[in-house]
Amino acid sequence: NAGVMQNPRHLVRRRGQEARLRCSPMKGHSHVYWYRQLPEEGLKFMVYLQKENIIDESGMPKERFSAEFPKEGPSILRIQQVVRGDSAAYFCASSEGHSNQPQHFGDGTRLSIL
Amino acid sequence: LAKTTQPISMDSYEGQEVNITCSHNNIATNDYITWYQQFPSQGPRFIIQGYKTKVTNEVASLFIPADRKSSTLSLPRVSLSDTAVYYCLVAIQTGANNLFFGTGTRLTVIP
């Protein structure tokens, strides 16, 4: 009974490169959420997706950031032209349903920008 | 925007019961209250969720008064491995999942 799987666990990029973060939800879960966490802070919501649809992207920066959750395969959080300020831990969560269903989190991808 | 307020930190000795209270004055009628635990370099782990009165599972109890403007997570007989950050969350809007994580409560269990 695998949990939420994120890869890579650590990712190093130089300024201006692209970062791709992957998230495979728990089996049977069709709702995926992405959060960002800076050191000593709580998680900040970025985007909520269902299969092939973005439901809520109110927490995601309008530029350089995009997310998808295709019919087949993992959810992808993509950051183009990374800057130093993008350095953070990015967590993915999944849930079975919607509205008040508990979200189950992966162990995150730690992105470092050189 | 519904938010939660928790103590920033708490210390407790091993074997004691720990109660962490969270205020959520703007909780909506259909919102549930959920608590998560987070260890360093790991994702948050779901602990317990409730709507009203009392909920108990194998690791914790959750007490919610009738007005639902606050809740208390109770951890019985804590051990050193319970040292972590504990987050209290409520759904901000019915029909959305924009969970708001505050800074949480950093619990340190002392031998």
Side-chain angles (χ1 to χ4, degrees), chain A residues 30-49:
Chain A
S30 59
H31 300 252
V32 166
Y33 317 81
W34 286 92
Y35 294 82
R36 179 164 67 177
Q37 186 176 35
L38 296 173
E40 306 302 318
E41 294 187 9
L43 283 73
K44 298 289 193 293
F45 168 81
M46 298 181 73
V47 61
Y48 162 41
L49 311 99

Side-chain angles (χ1 to χ4, degrees), chain A residues 8 12 17 27 38 45 60 67 69-70 72 89-90 100 104 111:
Chain A
V12 179
Q17 290 185 321
K27 187 176 181 180
L38 296 173
F45 168 81
M60 198 155 68
F69 188 18
E72 301 291 336
Y90 291 84
N100 298 315
H104 298 270
L111 176 64

Side-chain angles (χ1 to χ4, degrees), chain B residues 82-110:
Chain B
D82 293 318
T83 294
V85 178
Y86 292 82
Y87 294 98
C88 162
L89 292 87
V90 298
I92 291 175
Q93 285 178 260
T94 300
N97 278 74
N98 191 351
L99 295 183
F100 179 81
F101 281 80
T103 52
T105 298
R106 185 175 299 276
L107 172 66
T108 302
V109 179
I110 305 165

Side-chain angles (χ1 to χ4, degrees), chain A residues 42-75:
Chain A
L43 283 73
K44 298 289 193 293
F45 168 81
M46 298 181 73
V47 61
Y48 162 41
L49 311 99
Q50 293 182 34
K51 283 287 187 181
E52 300 185 275
N53 289 304
I54 296 175
I55 307 301
D56 180 356
E57 55 182 350
S58 59
M60 198 155 68
K62 295 289 188 289
E63 297 179 352
R64 302 189 299 108
F65 285 72
S66 62
E68 62 178 15
F69 188 18
K71 187 176 181 181
E72 301 291 336
S75 175

Side-chain angles (χ1 to χ4, degrees), chain B residues 39-54:
Chain B
F39 297 112
S41 301
Q42 294 186 21
R45 298 275 185 262
F46 172 81
I47 301 175
I48 197 166
Q49 179 173 267
Y51 183 80
K52 61 181 180 181
T53 62
K54 177 183 175 182

